[in-house]
Amino acid sequence: MKNRLRVLRAEKNWSQAQLAENVGVSRQAIIAIENGKYDPGLPLAFKLARSFGKSLEEVFIWNEPKTG
Amino acid sequence: MYTLLFVVFEILPPFMQNPSLPARKSFAPLLLTLCLASIIDLGAGWLLRQPHLTQPARILIAFLPVPANLVLVALIVGTIRKLDEFLRHVHLEAAAIGFLLTGLAVFVYGYLQRASALPPLNVGIVWLFMVLFYGIGYVIAARHYR
């Protein structure tokens, strides 16, 4: 799953620590999500999207696995 | 030891970076209980070295550290539940790595003991294995998600 967290955060001019505080998680969590190393659960994903005033789909992009 | 490791690895870094984290509230009671449990541990160890005590008294003293350490366990579990989902994820991996590597180390130790290469296993060594491998597990998990 890809995400636009870094871009949206830059648009808002927020630091990772500020975003972390906004959604009530550690900065390590934001770093891991931004780097695509960790996919957040639904509650955190919604919190992140809401903090940017966006819908879930505008922040997180689901990559459909290739079949066949 | 586990609490100390937990505090050093887990509570302090997020606490310093994001003081609004709910886990912060567990910090003071955790440290206080850790100090109390350590004092009781040391006291029990000192008492058990005294030669004049009867066997039933020794058994009672051996159980003295249990209540404070049970409180520690409860506090640690409570603190883990207050961590965010990512940190819980890292902890789970660290605990899994620590558990499996401790099992492997004890297994190897047992075979080395059979080969008469090592003395009989001291239970305290298992504790050290757990602490060491949990620390290694934490570093591996934290680096993986960086």
Side-chain angles (χ1 to χ4, degrees):
Chain A
M1 188 165 70
K2 288 181 182 173
N3 69 74
R4 298 179 56 234
L5 224 60
R6 198 186 299 269
V7 176
L8 293 168
R9 190 171 56 75
E11 282 175 8
K12 293 265 184 188
N13 210 16
W14 287 345
S15 66
Q16 289 173 330
Q18 278 174 308
L19 177 59
E21 195 166 350
N22 285 351
V23 295
V25 297
S26 59
R27 198 168 69 90
Q28 293 101 308
I30 301 298
I31 293 168
I33 295 167
E34 277 192 2
N35 291 337
K37 298 275 185 173
Y38 176 74
D39 293 333
L42 270 178
L44 178 54
F46 271 108
K47 272 188 195 174
L48 286 164
R50 293 291 182 271
S51 72
F52 292 115
K54 304 275 183 192
S55 69
L56 204 60
E57 290 85 355
E58 287 175 290
V59 179
F60 296 96
I61 302 114
W62 173 249
N63 294 331
E64 202 67 49
K66 288 174 186 170
T67 52
Chain B
M1 275 296 274
Y2 177 84
T3 317
L4 196 62
L5 203 73
F6 181 79
V7 167
V8 168
F9 275 112
E10 203 46 54
I11 306 291
L12 278 179
F15 172 72
M16 287 186 287
Q17 287 166 9
N18 189 352
S20 68
L21 281 177
R24 183 191 109 159
K25 289 171 187 158
S26 310
F27 188 64
L30 200 62
L31 268 188
L32 200 70
T33 314
L34 174 66
C35 291
L36 184 70
S38 302
I39 290 167
I40 296 171
D41 288 349
L42 290 171
W46 180 81
L47 282 172
L48 286 172
R49 282 194 297 275
Q50 305 310 307
H52 60 274
L53 290 169
T54 61
Q55 186 64 7
R58 286 177 179 282
I59 291 169
L60 275 178
I61 291 165
F63 281 103
L64 264 184
V66 173
N69 281 284
L70 282 179
V71 173
L72 261 184
V73 170
L75 282 175
I76 290 172
V77 171
T79 307
I80 288 173
R81 285 177 181 160
K82 285 177 195 158
L83 293 174
D84 67 57
E85 60 171 64
F86 171 72
L87 292 176
R88 279 203 306 268
H89 196 81
V90 170
H91 261 295
L92 176 67
E93 280 192 24
I97 291 169
F99 175 79
L100 294 168
L101 287 182
T102 302
L104 178 66
V106 172
F107 187 73
V108 171
Y109 196 107
Y111 274 108
L112 286 171
Q113 199 179 308
R114 275 195 199 179
S116 303
L118 286 170
L121 183 62
N122 181 337
V123 183
I125 289 176
V126 178
W127 181 235
L128 284 178
F129 282 158
M130 285 169 64
V131 172
L132 175 72
F133 292 134
Y134 175 81
I136 291 171
Y138 183 85
V139 171
I140 291 170
R143 284 180 69 92
H144 176 74
Y145 292 106
R146 198 176 291 164

